[in-house]
Amino acid sequence: MKRMLQDARPGLWLSLAAAALALAGGLAYVVIYLAAAGEAVDRVFSWLTLGLALGGTVITLAGEGLRLSFTPILGGACFAVALANHLVETAYPLADMLTGVPFFGGNPALAIAFSVVFGLAAVLNVIGAFLPHRK
């Protein structure tokens, strides 16, 4: 770990921050949605979103540890697709909230909160991908 961080540049720090945020967000995502589920899992929860967020984290951390230059793009792609999938699922509770007709179901506050978390992870990783990672 010390060797990995001794010649770190801003791109590495942003990639690690994105991976940490995606990991924490993914764990909170599954814990909160399954705890709030009751009888059935919330409409917005998706195992694909969780898998992509955690997969992007693993790819980013492994790539930085192995010093592979192409992994920020792969991790960023995972984070971006996780965000896109979550935004598609977020449309359903937002439609209910905006129309006032409870048809689809889902918790709009949680949907928006996790949209921000996954969006921030994706943006941090994309910015970090264009900055130098090592000296």
Side-chain angles (χ1 to χ4, degrees):
M1 184 71 159
K2 181 181 176 185
R3 184 179 151 257
M4 182 173 97
L5 298 178
Q6 85 188 92
D7 61 347
R9 300 290 300 257
L12 177 82
W13 291 112
L14 287 175
S15 290
L16 293 178
L21 183 63
L23 177 64
L27 294 176
Y29 182 72
V30 72
V31 168
I32 290 172
Y33 272 118
L34 293 181
E39 293 179 15
V41 176
D42 193 281
R43 170 82 167 102
V44 179
F45 180 80
S46 171
W47 289 104
L48 179 62
T49 301
L50 176 65
L52 286 166
L54 296 179
T57 299
V58 169
I59 289 170
T60 300
L61 293 177
E64 295 298 346
L66 296 173
R67 296 178 179 251
L68 301 174
S69 62
F70 61 89
T71 54
I73 295 170
L74 295 177
C78 287
F79 295 146
V81 175
L83 172 64
N85 187 55
H86 184 70
L87 289 176
V88 166
E89 298 299 327
T90 300
Y92 297 111
L94 291 180
D96 287 351
M97 185 179 73
L98 293 174
T99 61
V101 179
F103 183 70
F104 294 112
N107 187 334
L110 282 178
I112 292 170
F114 284 110
S115 295
V116 170
V117 170
F118 294 138
L120 187 58
V123 168
L124 284 175
N125 199 351
V126 168
I127 293 170
F130 289 100
L131 296 175
H133 286 237
R134 307 265 185 245
K135 287 184 181 177

